[in-house]
Amino acid sequence: MSFVLHPRLAADTFLVGELTLCSVLLMNDSRYPWLILVPRQAGLRDFDDVPMGDKSAFHREIDYASAVLRSETQAFKTNVAALGNMVPQLHVHVIARFEGDAAWPGPVWGQGEAVPYESSAATQLITRLRRDFGMKG
Amino acid sequence: MSFVLHPRLAADTFLVGELTLCSVLLMNDSRYPWLILVPRQAGLRDFDDVPMGDKSAFHREIDYASAVLRSETQAFKTNVAALGNMVPQLHVHVIARFEGDAAWPGPVWGQGEAVPYESSAATQLITRLRRDFGMKG
């Protein structure tokens, strides 16, 4: 069974690029700078499902995404979460939070409707993020 | 500066016991089997704040808590999250979820009021969890 990104994740996000283990996605919700990491392995569901040999990369990429997002946004707080009740494919939310953002101090899920990025804003943010992650091209 | 458990966490939970890095707490909300891991180090706030030398223990203890909770509860899904918007001390939620539980399929935070355990139920669950974690005494 080969890895295919869950269609709901594909529909709700832009691809930023690829790290060694995970694809990095940008949630199409301009209310919050919001990355999603998805290990490119089929059949993973819970946070502890990542195989032993990939766990250190998994943790390292979560930390890396947190640092990149914090540096890019000057986030007040970073939320990290693997929930997956609706989308069963393992994915880790890394969200930059600010005092007074649309859901503050609550969690972001299920709060109002997503506000999609304007096309040029998404392109510019993805370009900056790719540079910050050190992704080529 | 020495580590002191945040008073809000102390008020909302029972102590299950101590792992090498983290204290394991049981959230006093009988609607969900819900553990909270708190690294016993002062000044940690975000998931990626754990010092390099403790990261592998941190990740391993999250995985261990997930496995123990799943085994104890036959959870359908495990939620893992470090949010900390309201309680700034780094703490990781590890929550057993079930189709049809009080917040399913949404996240548990901010959904209704906690339903405290009856005293004997909490004691029994903590005893079972301590046994599952291999904690002494």
Side-chain angles (χ1 to χ4, degrees):
Chain A
M1 189 169 60
S2 64
F3 171 81
V4 179
L5 185 65
H6 190 286
R8 172 76 181 268
L9 291 175
D12 291 348
T13 68
F14 302 103
L15 176 66
V16 175
E18 310 289 357
L19 300 174
T20 303
L21 178 67
C22 294
S23 296
V24 181
L25 311 174
L26 174 68
M27 190 73 161
N28 189 12
D29 186 346
S30 63
R31 297 175 301 165
Y32 321 98
W34 180 345
L35 300 177
I36 295 181
L37 300 187
V38 185
R40 290 184 306 278
Q41 293 188 4
L44 305 183
R45 189 163 168 269
D46 277 335
F47 192 83
D48 59 322
D49 284 345
V50 174
M52 195 59 69
D54 295 311
K55 282 187 194 293
S56 67
F58 181 51
H59 206 185
R60 194 168 55 240
E61 292 181 4
I62 294 169
D63 283 6
Y64 190 33
S66 300
V68 163
L69 195 63
R70 183 181 303 114
S71 165
E72 176 62 37
T73 67
Q74 309 304 313
F76 175 73
K77 185 74 185 72
T78 305
N79 293 169
V80 170
L83 304 180
N85 303 331
M86 297 200 235
V87 173
Q89 181 174 71
L90 177 60
H91 59 288
V92 180
H93 303 271
V94 179
I95 311 164
R97 301 299 307 274
F98 299 87
E99 293 175 294
D101 71 26
W104 187 263
V108 299
W109 305 276
Q111 299 298 314
E113 296 294 317
V115 178
Y117 284 98
E118 294 191 27
S119 168
S120 62
T123 303
Q124 289 168 22
L125 178 53
I126 290 166
T127 299
R128 290 200 305 275
L129 288 167
R130 286 184 59 82
R131 181 201 61 203
D132 298 340
F133 274 108
M135 291 163 173
K136 305 282 190 205
Chain B
M1 188 169 61
S2 64
F3 171 81
V4 178
L5 184 65
H6 191 286
R8 173 76 180 268
L9 292 175
D12 290 348
T13 68
F14 302 103
L15 176 65
V16 175
E18 309 290 356
L19 300 174
T20 302
L21 179 66
C22 294
S23 295
V24 181
L25 311 175
L26 173 68
M27 190 73 161
N28 189 12
D29 186 346
S30 63
R31 297 175 301 166
Y32 321 97
W34 181 345
L35 300 177
I36 296 181
L37 300 187
V38 186
R40 291 185 304 279
Q41 293 188 3
L44 305 183
R45 188 161 168 270
D46 278 334
F47 192 84
D48 59 321
D49 284 345
V50 174
M52 194 59 70
D54 294 311
K55 283 188 194 293
S56 67
F58 182 51
H59 206 185
R60 193 166 57 240
E61 293 182 3
I62 294 170
D63 283 6
Y64 189 32
S66 299
V68 162
L69 196 62
R70 183 181 303 114
S71 165
E72 177 62 37
T73 66
Q74 310 302 315
F76 175 74
K77 185 75 184 72
T78 306
N79 293 169
V80 170
L83 304 180
N85 303 332
M86 298 200 237
V87 173
Q89 182 175 69
L90 176 60
H91 60 288
V92 180
H93 303 271
V94 178
I95 310 164
R97 302 298 308 273
F98 299 87
E99 293 175 292
D101 71 27
W104 187 263
V108 300
W109 304 277
Q111 300 298 315
E113 296 294 316
V115 178
Y117 285 98
E118 295 191 27
S119 167
S120 63
T123 303
Q124 288 168 23
L125 178 53
I126 290 166
T127 300
R128 289 200 306 274
L129 288 167
R130 286 184 59 84
R131 181 202 61 202
D132 298 341
F133 273 109
M135 292 163 172
K136 306 282 190 202

PDB file of all heavy atoms in Angstrom, chain B residues 50-79:
ATOM      1  N   VAL B  50      11.612  21.433  24.943  1.00  0.00           N
ATOM      2  CA  VAL B  50      12.287  20.372  25.699  1.00  0.00           C
ATOM      3  C   VAL B  50      13.752  20.317  25.257  1.00  0.00           C
ATOM      4  O   VAL B  50      14.038  20.285  24.061  1.00  0.00           O
ATOM      5  CB  VAL B  50      11.592  19.015  25.453  1.00  0.00           C
ATOM      6  CG1 VAL B  50      12.357  17.875  26.113  1.00  0.00           C
ATOM      7  CG2 VAL B  50      10.151  19.065  25.967  1.00  0.00           C
ATOM      8  N   PRO B  51      14.683  20.331  26.223  1.00  0.00           N
ATOM      9  CA  PRO B  51      16.108  20.358  25.848  1.00  0.00           C
ATOM     10  C   PRO B  51      16.500  19.120  25.043  1.00  0.00           C
ATOM     11  O   PRO B  51      15.917  18.048  25.205  1.00  0.00           O
ATOM     12  CB  PRO B  51      16.824  20.351  27.211  1.00  0.00           C
ATOM     13  CG  PRO B  51      15.817  20.811  28.197  1.00  0.00           C
ATOM     14  CD  PRO B  51      14.484  20.377  27.674  1.00  0.00           C
ATOM     15  N   MET B  52      17.483  19.296  24.181  1.00  0.00           N
ATOM     16  CA  MET B  52      17.899  18.252  23.250  1.00  0.00           C
ATOM     17  C   MET B  52      18.101  16.907  23.945  1.00  0.00           C
ATOM     18  O   MET B  52      17.634  15.880  23.477  1.00  0.00           O
ATOM     19  CB  MET B  52      19.184  18.713  22.545  1.00  0.00           C
ATOM     20  CG  MET B  52      19.556  17.918  21.319  1.00  0.00           C
ATOM     21  SD  MET B  52      18.275  17.938  20.024  1.00  0.00           S
ATOM     22  CE  MET B  52      18.385  19.654  19.456  1.00  0.00           C
ATOM     23  N   GLY B  53      18.759  16.925  25.076  1.00  0.00           N
ATOM     24  CA  GLY B  53      19.076  15.671  25.752  1.00  0.00           C
ATOM     25  C   GLY B  53      17.874  14.948  26.333  1.00  0.00           C
ATOM     26  O   GLY B  53      17.967  13.777  26.711  1.00  0.00           O
ATOM     27  N   ASP B  54      16.747  15.643  26.417  1.00  0.00           N
ATOM     28  CA  ASP B  54      15.542  15.034  26.989  1.00  0.00           C
ATOM     29  C   ASP B  54      14.480  14.748  25.932  1.00  0.00           C
ATOM     30  O   ASP B  54      13.422  14.203  26.252  1.00  0.00           O
ATOM     31  CB  ASP B  54      14.933  15.979  28.048  1.00  0.00           C
ATOM     32  CG  ASP B  54      15.853  16.138  29.240  1.00  0.00           C
ATOM     33  OD1 ASP B  54      16.324  15.120  29.764  1.00  0.00           O
ATOM     34  OD2 ASP B  54      16.104  17.299  29.631  1.00  0.00           O
ATOM     35  N   LYS B  55      14.748  15.101  24.681  1.00  0.00           N
ATOM     36  CA  LYS B  55      13.698  14.964  23.661  1.00  0.00           C
ATOM     37  C   LYS B  55      13.306  13.511  23.437  1.00  0.00           C
ATOM     38  O   LYS B  55      12.135  13.197  23.260  1.00  0.00           O
ATOM     39  CB  LYS B  55      14.150  15.591  22.337  1.00  0.00           C
ATOM     40  CG  LYS B  55      14.071  17.117  22.342  1.00  0.00           C
ATOM     41  CD  LYS B  55      14.342  17.661  20.946  1.00  0.00           C
ATOM     42  CE  LYS B  55      14.605  19.162  20.949  1.00  0.00           C
ATOM     43  NZ  LYS B  55      13.459  19.999  21.307  1.00  0.00           N
ATOM     44  N   SER B  56      14.286  12.610  23.443  1.00  0.00           N
ATOM     45  CA  SER B  56      13.908  11.222  23.157  1.00  0.00           C
ATOM     46  C   SER B  56      13.068  10.660  24.298  1.00  0.00           C
ATOM     47  O   SER B  56      12.098   9.934  24.069  1.00  0.00           O
ATOM     48  CB  SER B  56      15.125  10.357  22.843  1.00  0.00           C
ATOM     49  OG  SER B  56      15.919  10.225  23.986  1.00  0.00           O
ATOM     50  N   ALA B  57      13.399  11.014  25.529  1.00  0.00           N
ATOM     51  CA  ALA B  57      12.567  10.565  26.661  1.00  0.00           C
ATOM     52  C   ALA B  57      11.167  11.173  26.566  1.00  0.00           C
ATOM     53  O   ALA B  57      10.164  10.494  26.825  1.00  0.00           O
ATOM     54  CB  ALA B  57      13.210  10.955  27.987  1.00  0.00           C
ATOM     55  N   PHE B  58      11.110  12.416  26.174  1.00  0.00           N
ATOM     56  CA  PHE B  58       9.821  13.109  26.041  1.00  0.00           C
ATOM     57  C   PHE B  58       8.924  12.379  25.042  1.00  0.00           C
ATOM     58  O   PHE B  58       7.776  12.014  25.338  1.00  0.00           O
ATOM     59  CB  PHE B  58      10.101  14.539  25.589  1.00  0.00           C
ATOM     60  CG  PHE B  58       8.913  15.441  25.427  1.00  0.00           C
ATOM     61  CD1 PHE B  58       7.970  15.569  26.442  1.00  0.00           C
ATOM     62  CD2 PHE B  58       8.742  16.189  24.264  1.00  0.00           C
ATOM     63  CE1 PHE B  58       6.886  16.438  26.300  1.00  0.00           C
ATOM     64  CE2 PHE B  58       7.675  17.053  24.119  1.00  0.00           C
ATOM     65  CZ  PHE B  58       6.737  17.169  25.127  1.00  0.00           C
ATOM     66  N   HIS B  59       9.458  12.124  23.863  1.00  0.00           N
ATOM     67  CA  HIS B  59       8.691  11.452  22.821  1.00  0.00           C
ATOM     68  C   HIS B  59       8.317  10.035  23.267  1.00  0.00           C
ATOM     69  O   HIS B  59       7.194   9.579  23.060  1.00  0.00           O
ATOM     70  CB  HIS B  59       9.511  11.426  21.533  1.00  0.00           C
ATOM     71  CG  HIS B  59       8.700  11.361  20.292  1.00  0.00           C
ATOM     72  ND1 HIS B  59       9.238  11.228  19.046  1.00  0.00           N
ATOM     73  CD2 HIS B  59       7.369  11.391  20.105  1.00  0.00           C
ATOM     74  CE1 HIS B  59       8.295  11.186  18.142  1.00  0.00           C
ATOM     75  NE2 HIS B  59       7.141  11.286  18.760  1.00  0.00           N
ATOM     76  N   ARG B  60       9.277   9.344  23.893  1.00  0.00           N
ATOM     77  CA  ARG B  60       9.039   7.961  24.327  1.00  0.00           C
ATOM     78  C   ARG B  60       7.932   7.922  25.381  1.00  0.00           C
ATOM     79  O   ARG B  60       7.075   7.021  25.353  1.00  0.00           O
ATOM     80  CB  ARG B  60      10.342   7.409  24.901  1.00  0.00           C
ATOM     81  CG  ARG B  60      10.366   5.919  25.104  1.00  0.00           C
ATOM     82  CD  ARG B  60      11.792   5.436  25.341  1.00  0.00           C
ATOM     83  NE  ARG B  60      12.425   6.100  26.465  1.00  0.00           N
ATOM     84  CZ  ARG B  60      13.543   6.834  26.410  1.00  0.00           C
ATOM     85  NH1 ARG B  60      14.180   7.004  25.263  1.00  0.00           N
ATOM     86  NH2 ARG B  60      14.029   7.404  27.493  1.00  0.00           N
ATOM     87  N   GLU B  61       7.912   8.909  26.265  1.00  0.00           N
ATOM     88  CA  GLU B  61       6.892   8.900  27.324  1.00  0.00           C
ATOM     89  C   GLU B  61       5.505   9.235  26.759  1.00  0.00           C
ATOM     90  O   GLU B  61       4.494   8.722  27.238  1.00  0.00           O
ATOM     91  CB  GLU B  61       7.312   9.833  28.466  1.00  0.00           C
ATOM     92  CG  GLU B  61       8.546   9.276  29.181  1.00  0.00           C
ATOM     93  CD  GLU B  61       9.040  10.090  30.372  1.00  0.00           C
ATOM     94  OE1 GLU B  61       8.395  11.105  30.731  1.00  0.00           O
ATOM     95  OE2 GLU B  61      10.082   9.717  30.948  1.00  0.00           O
ATOM     96  N   ILE B  62       5.454  10.082  25.754  1.00  0.00           N
ATOM     97  CA  ILE B  62       4.170  10.339  25.086  1.00  0.00           C
ATOM     98  C   ILE B  62       3.662   9.041  24.447  1.00  0.00           C
ATOM     99  O   ILE B  62       2.484   8.678  24.573  1.00  0.00           O
ATOM    100  CB  ILE B  62       4.314  11.443  24.010  1.00  0.00           C
ATOM    101  CG1 ILE B  62       4.638  12.786  24.655  1.00  0.00           C
ATOM    102  CG2 ILE B  62       3.042  11.552  23.166  1.00  0.00           C
ATOM    103  CD1 ILE B  62       5.043  13.866  23.650  1.00  0.00           C
ATOM    104  N   ASP B  63       4.545   8.345  23.753  1.00  0.00           N
ATOM    105  CA  ASP B  63       4.155   7.081  23.118  1.00  0.00           C
ATOM    106  C   ASP B  63       3.732   6.049  24.165  1.00  0.00           C
ATOM    107  O   ASP B  63       2.769   5.298  23.961  1.00  0.00           O
ATOM    108  CB  ASP B  63       5.315   6.521  22.283  1.00  0.00           C
ATOM    109  CG  ASP B  63       5.494   7.243  20.957  1.00  0.00           C
ATOM    110  OD1 ASP B  63       4.798   8.260  20.720  1.00  0.00           O
ATOM    111  OD2 ASP B  63       6.330   6.802  20.144  1.00  0.00           O
ATOM    112  N   TYR B  64       4.457   6.009  25.254  1.00  0.00           N
ATOM    113  CA  TYR B  64       4.158   5.048  26.319  1.00  0.00           C
ATOM    114  C   TYR B  64       2.779   5.342  26.915  1.00  0.00           C
ATOM    115  O   TYR B  64       1.952   4.433  27.085  1.00  0.00           O
ATOM    116  CB  TYR B  64       5.247   5.134  27.381  1.00  0.00           C
ATOM    117  CG  TYR B  64       5.229   4.071  28.457  1.00  0.00           C
ATOM    118  CD1 TYR B  64       4.795   2.777  28.202  1.00  0.00           C
ATOM    119  CD2 TYR B  64       5.677   4.372  29.745  1.00  0.00           C
ATOM    120  CE1 TYR B  64       4.801   1.810  29.203  1.00  0.00           C
ATOM    121  CE2 TYR B  64       5.694   3.414  30.745  1.00  0.00           C
ATOM    122  CZ  TYR B  64       5.256   2.127  30.472  1.00  0.00           C
ATOM    123  OH  TYR B  64       5.265   1.195  31.471  1.00  0.00           O
ATOM    124  N   ALA B  65       2.519   6.599  27.202  1.00  0.00           N
ATOM    125  CA  ALA B  65       1.214   6.973  27.759  1.00  0.00           C
ATOM    126  C   ALA B  65       0.098   6.642  26.772  1.00  0.00           C
ATOM    127  O   ALA B  65      -0.983   6.180  27.160  1.00  0.00           O
ATOM    128  CB  ALA B  65       1.199   8.461  28.119  1.00  0.00           C
ATOM    129  N   SER B  66       0.353   6.857  25.485  1.00  0.00           N
ATOM    130  CA  SER B  66      -0.650   6.517  24.469  1.00  0.00           C
ATOM    131  C   SER B  66      -0.944   5.020  24.500  1.00  0.00           C
ATOM    132  O   SER B  66      -2.109   4.601  24.456  1.00  0.00           O
ATOM    133  CB  SER B  66      -0.132   6.887  23.070  1.00  0.00           C
ATOM    134  OG  SER B  66       0.121   8.271  22.962  1.00  0.00           O
ATOM    135  N   ALA B  67       0.103   4.218  24.573  1.00  0.00           N
ATOM    136  CA  ALA B  67      -0.065   2.760  24.548  1.00  0.00           C
ATOM    137  C   ALA B  67      -0.774   2.266  25.804  1.00  0.00           C
ATOM    138  O   ALA B  67      -1.659   1.402  25.740  1.00  0.00           O
ATOM    139  CB  ALA B  67       1.297   2.085  24.397  1.00  0.00           C
ATOM    140  N   VAL B  68      -0.376   2.807  26.956  1.00  0.00           N
ATOM    141  CA  VAL B  68      -1.012   2.406  28.216  1.00  0.00           C
ATOM    142  C   VAL B  68      -2.495   2.768  28.205  1.00  0.00           C
ATOM    143  O   VAL B  68      -3.356   1.955  28.561  1.00  0.00           O
ATOM    144  CB  VAL B  68      -0.297   3.075  29.418  1.00  0.00           C
ATOM    145  CG1 VAL B  68      -1.163   3.038  30.672  1.00  0.00           C
ATOM    146  CG2 VAL B  68       1.053   2.408  29.666  1.00  0.00           C
ATOM    147  N   LEU B  69      -2.786   3.963  27.782  1.00  0.00           N
ATOM    148  CA  LEU B  69      -4.182   4.418  27.800  1.00  0.00           C
ATOM    149  C   LEU B  69      -5.026   3.609  26.810  1.00  0.00           C
ATOM    150  O   LEU B  69      -6.168   3.233  27.106  1.00  0.00           O
ATOM    151  CB  LEU B  69      -4.231   5.912  27.458  1.00  0.00           C
ATOM    152  CG  LEU B  69      -5.537   6.621  27.789  1.00  0.00           C
ATOM    153  CD1 LEU B  69      -5.832   6.592  29.279  1.00  0.00           C
ATOM    154  CD2 LEU B  69      -5.499   8.069  27.302  1.00  0.00           C
ATOM    155  N   ARG B  70      -4.448   3.320  25.651  1.00  0.00           N
ATOM    156  CA  ARG B  70      -5.183   2.541  24.638  1.00  0.00           C
ATOM    157  C   ARG B  70      -5.458   1.130  25.147  1.00  0.00           C
ATOM    158  O   ARG B  70      -6.558   0.607  25.001  1.00  0.00           O
ATOM    159  CB  ARG B  70      -4.373   2.490  23.340  1.00  0.00           C
ATOM    160  CG  ARG B  70      -5.076   1.777  22.201  1.00  0.00           C
ATOM    161  CD  ARG B  70      -4.215   1.730  20.945  1.00  0.00           C
ATOM    162  NE  ARG B  70      -3.826   3.056  20.500  1.00  0.00           N
ATOM    163  CZ  ARG B  70      -2.568   3.527  20.498  1.00  0.00           C
ATOM    164  NH1 ARG B  70      -1.561   2.764  20.892  1.00  0.00           N
ATOM    165  NH2 ARG B  70      -2.330   4.746  20.078  1.00  0.00           N
ATOM    166  N   SER B  71      -4.451   0.562  25.779  1.00  0.00           N
ATOM    167  CA  SER B  71      -4.593  -0.796  26.295  1.00  0.00           C
ATOM    168  C   SER B  71      -5.633  -0.840  27.419  1.00  0.00           C
ATOM    169  O   SER B  71      -6.459  -1.753  27.501  1.00  0.00           O
ATOM    170  CB  SER B  71      -3.229  -1.277  26.788  1.00  0.00           C
ATOM    171  OG  SER B  71      -3.363  -2.415  27.581  1.00  0.00           O
ATOM    172  N   GLU B  72      -5.622   0.172  28.267  1.00  0.00           N
ATOM    173  CA  GLU B  72      -6.533   0.218  29.419  1.00  0.00           C
ATOM    174  C   GLU B  72      -7.973   0.476  28.979  1.00  0.00           C
ATOM    175  O   GLU B  72      -8.921  -0.026  29.589  1.00  0.00           O
ATOM    176  CB  GLU B  72      -6.073   1.318  30.382  1.00  0.00           C
ATOM    177  CG  GLU B  72      -6.957   1.553  31.588  1.00  0.00           C
ATOM    178  CD  GLU B  72      -7.055   0.339  32.495  1.00  0.00           C
ATOM    179  OE1 GLU B  72      -6.053  -0.370  32.660  1.00  0.00           O
ATOM    180  OE2 GLU B  72      -8.155   0.082  33.025  1.00  0.00           O
ATOM    181  N   THR B  73      -8.147   1.283  27.925  1.00  0.00           N
ATOM    182  CA  THR B  73      -9.505   1.747  27.589  1.00  0.00           C
ATOM    183  C   THR B  73     -10.049   1.185  26.286  1.00  0.00           C
ATOM    184  O   THR B  73     -11.212   1.399  25.974  1.00  0.00           O
ATOM    185  CB  THR B  73      -9.520   3.284  27.440  1.00  0.00           C
ATOM    186  OG1 THR B  73      -8.727   3.644  26.293  1.00  0.00           O
ATOM    187  CG2 THR B  73      -8.983   3.966  28.687  1.00  0.00           C
ATOM    188  N   GLN B  74      -9.202   0.515  25.495  1.00  0.00           N
ATOM    189  CA  GLN B  74      -9.615   0.082  24.153  1.00  0.00           C
ATOM    190  C   GLN B  74     -10.067   1.283  23.322  1.00  0.00           C
ATOM    191  O   GLN B  74     -11.049   1.204  22.572  1.00  0.00           O
ATOM    192  CB  GLN B  74     -10.736  -0.966  24.225  1.00  0.00           C
ATOM    193  CG  GLN B  74     -10.445  -2.123  25.191  1.00  0.00           C
ATOM    194  CD  GLN B  74      -9.159  -2.847  24.814  1.00  0.00           C
ATOM    195  OE1 GLN B  74      -8.917  -3.148  23.653  1.00  0.00           O
ATOM    196  NE2 GLN B  74      -8.299  -3.069  25.808  1.00  0.00           N
ATOM    197  N   ALA B  75      -9.369   2.387  23.458  1.00  0.00           N
ATOM    198  CA  ALA B  75      -9.720   3.623  22.750  1.00  0.00           C
ATOM    199  C   ALA B  75      -9.823   3.388  21.245  1.00  0.00           C
ATOM    200  O   ALA B  75      -9.036   2.641  20.659  1.00  0.00           O
ATOM    201  CB  ALA B  75      -8.676   4.693  23.024  1.00  0.00           C
ATOM    202  N   PHE B  76     -10.773   4.080  20.639  1.00  0.00           N
ATOM    203  CA  PHE B  76     -10.912   4.054  19.181  1.00  0.00           C
ATOM    204  C   PHE B  76      -9.831   4.918  18.529  1.00  0.00           C
ATOM    205  O   PHE B  76      -9.305   4.603  17.472  1.00  0.00           O
ATOM    206  CB  PHE B  76     -12.308   4.580  18.818  1.00  0.00           C
ATOM    207  CG  PHE B  76     -12.537   4.715  17.340  1.00  0.00           C
ATOM    208  CD1 PHE B  76     -12.729   3.601  16.543  1.00  0.00           C
ATOM    209  CD2 PHE B  76     -12.571   5.973  16.746  1.00  0.00           C
ATOM    210  CE1 PHE B  76     -12.950   3.726  15.172  1.00  0.00           C
ATOM    211  CE2 PHE B  76     -12.792   6.108  15.371  1.00  0.00           C
ATOM    212  CZ  PHE B  76     -12.977   4.972  14.588  1.00  0.00           C
ATOM    213  N   LYS B  77      -9.497   6.039  19.197  1.00  0.00           N
ATOM    214  CA  LYS B  77      -8.538   6.994  18.647  1.00  0.00           C
ATOM    215  C   LYS B  77      -7.832   7.658  19.820  1.00  0.00           C
ATOM    216  O   LYS B  77      -8.440   7.852  20.870  1.00  0.00           O
ATOM    217  CB  LYS B  77      -9.302   8.056  17.816  1.00  0.00           C
ATOM    218  CG  LYS B  77      -8.436   9.055  17.081  1.00  0.00           C
ATOM    219  CD  LYS B  77      -7.778   8.437  15.869  1.00  0.00           C
ATOM    220  CE  LYS B  77      -6.818   9.398  15.180  1.00  0.00           C
ATOM    221  NZ  LYS B  77      -5.591   9.627  15.955  1.00  0.00           N
ATOM    222  N   THR B  78      -6.583   8.003  19.637  1.00  0.00           N
ATOM    223  CA  THR B  78      -5.845   8.730  20.669  1.00  0.00           C
ATOM    224  C   THR B  78      -5.538  10.133  20.166  1.00  0.00           C
ATOM    225  O   THR B  78      -5.035  10.294  19.054  1.00  0.00           O
ATOM    226  CB  THR B  78      -4.532   7.992  21.011  1.00  0.00           C
ATOM    227  OG1 THR B  78      -4.849   6.643  21.363  1.00  0.00           O
ATOM    228  CG2 THR B  78      -3.823   8.661  22.174  1.00  0.00           C
ATOM    229  N   ASN B  79      -5.884  11.119  20.953  1.00  0.00           N
ATOM    230  CA  ASN B  79      -5.539  12.511  20.639  1.00  0.00           C
ATOM    231  C   ASN B  79      -4.316  12.900  21.458  1.00  0.00           C
ATOM    232  O   ASN B  79      -4.281  12.677  22.674  1.00  0.00           O
ATOM    233  CB  ASN B  79      -6.677  13.476  20.996  1.00  0.00           C
ATOM    234  CG  ASN B  79      -7.940  13.324  20.162  1.00  0.00           C
ATOM    235  OD1 ASN B  79      -8.962  13.909  20.496  1.00  0.00           O
ATOM    236  ND2 ASN B  79      -7.900  12.551  19.084  1.00  0.00           N
TER     237      ASN B  79
END
